[in-house]
Amino acid sequence: MTDNQDTTEEAEETERTIIRSGREFEQEYRLDATEAGEFLIRLGEQLRDDDELRIVDEKWELPFAFGEPIELEIDFDGVGDPELEIELELPGRTDEKGPDVR
């Protein structure tokens, strides 16, 4: 990579809005199965390998330190137009420590 490419990538990263605690944020996408699958694979790898997610779009970045347990919900509606909904709910990680016992 050339120095010019490095500078361009750094500028793009600094122009993204960082989504932080204390803010509500929602973004919806309509993807084809391949794109959705690739996203889920990368998400799964981060869940498996790290204790923090980093989800990035052209305009925003969402770093999220998650805790456990993670809630997984599978909802199938087979009436009319069948629909399958898969939802992950990740609690935020806390750095709080329990009290001492003396």
Side-chain angles (χ1 to χ4, degrees), residues 2-3 8 13 31 35 37 43 46 50 54 57-58 66 75-76 81 83-84 89-91 95 100:
T2 66
D3 288 338
T8 303
E13 285 182 20
L31 307 173
E35 290 174 303
L43 180 69
Q46 282 190 33
D50 298 318
R54 183 173 171 257
D57 186 74
E58 293 174 354
F66 62 90
D75 183 14
F76 173 68
D81 291 330
E83 183 176 89
L84 175 64
E89 195 167 314
L90 293 86
D95 292 331
D100 287 336

Side-chain angles (χ1 to χ4, degrees), residues 5-46:
Q5 286 175 322
D6 288 339
T7 305
T8 303
E9 286 181 12
E10 288 172 10
E12 287 174 359
E13 285 182 20
T14 58
E15 291 176 15
R16 286 190 193 116
T17 300
I18 306 294
I19 310 301
R20 303 259 184 226
S21 292
R23 177 177 175 190
E24 289 190 21
F25 175 78
E26 185 175 328
Q27 183 71 45
E28 207 170 293
Y29 295 89
R30 293 186 58 85
L31 307 173
D32 64 28
T34 300
E35 290 174 303
E38 288 297 324
F39 174 81
L40 290 172
I41 289 168
R42 289 190 305 271
L43 180 69
E45 289 172 345
Q46 282 190 33

